[in-house]
Amino acid sequence: MLSAVCALVIAPAAVDLREYFPIEQGTTWDYIEIVGEGESRYRSEAGKPYDLDGQMVYPIITKQHGRSIGISYYDINSDSIHIIASGYNPSPSPPVPVLMNPEYREKWKYEGLSNATGAIGEMELEGKGKVLKSVKWNGKTYEGIEIRLDATTVEQVSASTGAKTKTEQVSTYAKGIGLIEMKSTTKIGKETYRSTIKLDKFKPVEN
């Protein structure tokens, strides 16, 4: 009995994705995006929960120079996070799994329609996640997870030409903070673009 109790005490806590994707209204993340030799800054802000055709979704608003330049809507649970819609006049589309709890599901796939990029298209996505022993941000150490996404999207308006967008993405999340780094490689036709997004500042809501 004693050994069972000890094992229970020292066992690591289960991963709850909501702790890696804080969504309380007013929370902000300031990011630096590096593309080639260029650099830009933008802010992500958690907006007010939104009833989208009877489903409660959570918006993340992207701002640059104080102006909104995009919105994405998420369905958030302890074991999965799906993007539901994007844009200023959202309509629900099939939920696309962008994070799955790696303690229970290390790999996943999705095939179907998506408007995650703001335009309707056919998407094939493969995801893989793992729990990290630790990640560092701003001089501190946190529990972390890493998510890899490989996606191919053909927008409906481009379907006749066969134009495809292929994206490879590696994202690192810190517990209690959210996304701290994302490295992406995107191929559109013959062109290849690489970018790195790093968290510069994080401001949680003060209770």
Side-chain angles (χ1 to χ4, degrees):
M1 174 65 77
L2 180 58
S3 61
V5 171
C6 291
L8 179 63
V9 171
I10 65 174
V15 170
D16 185 334
L17 290 183
R18 293 171 295 188
E19 296 180 317
Y20 293 84
F21 208 93
I23 203 68
E24 189 173 359
Q25 182 180 357
T27 301
T28 61
W29 303 260
D30 290 346
Y31 290 102
I32 299 173
E33 182 174 17
I34 302 169
V35 181
E37 297 182 357
E39 180 179 296
S40 62
R41 294 174 178 266
Y42 67 89
R43 169 171 291 183
S44 291
E45 181 174 340
K48 183 178 180 180
Y50 183 86
D51 187 328
L52 184 60
D53 285 3
Q55 179 180 6
M56 190 60 66
V57 296
Y58 298 86
I60 297 291
I61 305 162
T62 302
K63 297 181 177 181
Q64 200 166 41
H65 307 301
R67 299 181 61 181
S68 173
I69 59 173
I71 306 177
S72 297
Y73 300 85
Y74 295 86
D75 175 37
I76 299 176
N77 297 286
S78 61
D79 293 334
S80 65
I81 295 176
H82 295 74
I83 187 167
I84 303 298
S86 295
Y88 295 100
N89 296 296
S91 57
S93 65
V96 177
V98 290
L99 282 84
M100 302 292 285
N101 193 327
E103 284 194 327
Y104 305 112
R105 193 170 182 179
E106 292 184 355
K107 297 180 180 180
W108 66 93
K109 292 184 179 181
Y110 172 83
E111 294 183 5
L113 287 175
S114 168
N115 71 349
T117 61
I120 296 294
E122 290 284 345
M123 173 182 282
E124 295 181 2
L125 178 146
E126 293 186 2
K128 184 178 181 180
K130 65 179 180 180
V131 178
L132 302 176
K133 291 182 178 180
S134 64
V135 297
K136 290 186 177 181
W137 179 74
N138 201 27
K140 296 182 180 180
T141 301
Y142 301 86
E143 296 176 53
I145 56 175
E146 178 184 275
I147 301 294
R148 293 176 175 265
L149 298 177
D150 294 336
T152 300
T153 305
V154 179
E155 293 184 7
Q156 288 183 342
V157 293
S158 303
S160 61
T161 64
K164 295 182 179 180
T165 299
K166 294 185 177 181
T167 303
E168 298 176 358
Q169 206 173 76
V170 180
S171 301
T172 304
Y173 294 82
K175 185 176 181 179
I177 294 179
L179 177 69
I180 60 172
E181 183 177 80
M182 177 190 292
K183 294 183 178 181
S184 302
T185 300
T186 301
K187 296 181 180 180
I188 305 174
K190 296 181 180 181
E191 300 294 330
T192 299
Y193 306 90
R194 292 179 174 85
S195 67
T196 299
I197 295 171
K198 294 185 177 182
L199 180 64
D200 183 39
K201 298 178 181 178
F202 169 66
K203 186 177 180 180
V205 175
E206 295 182 2
N207 296 317

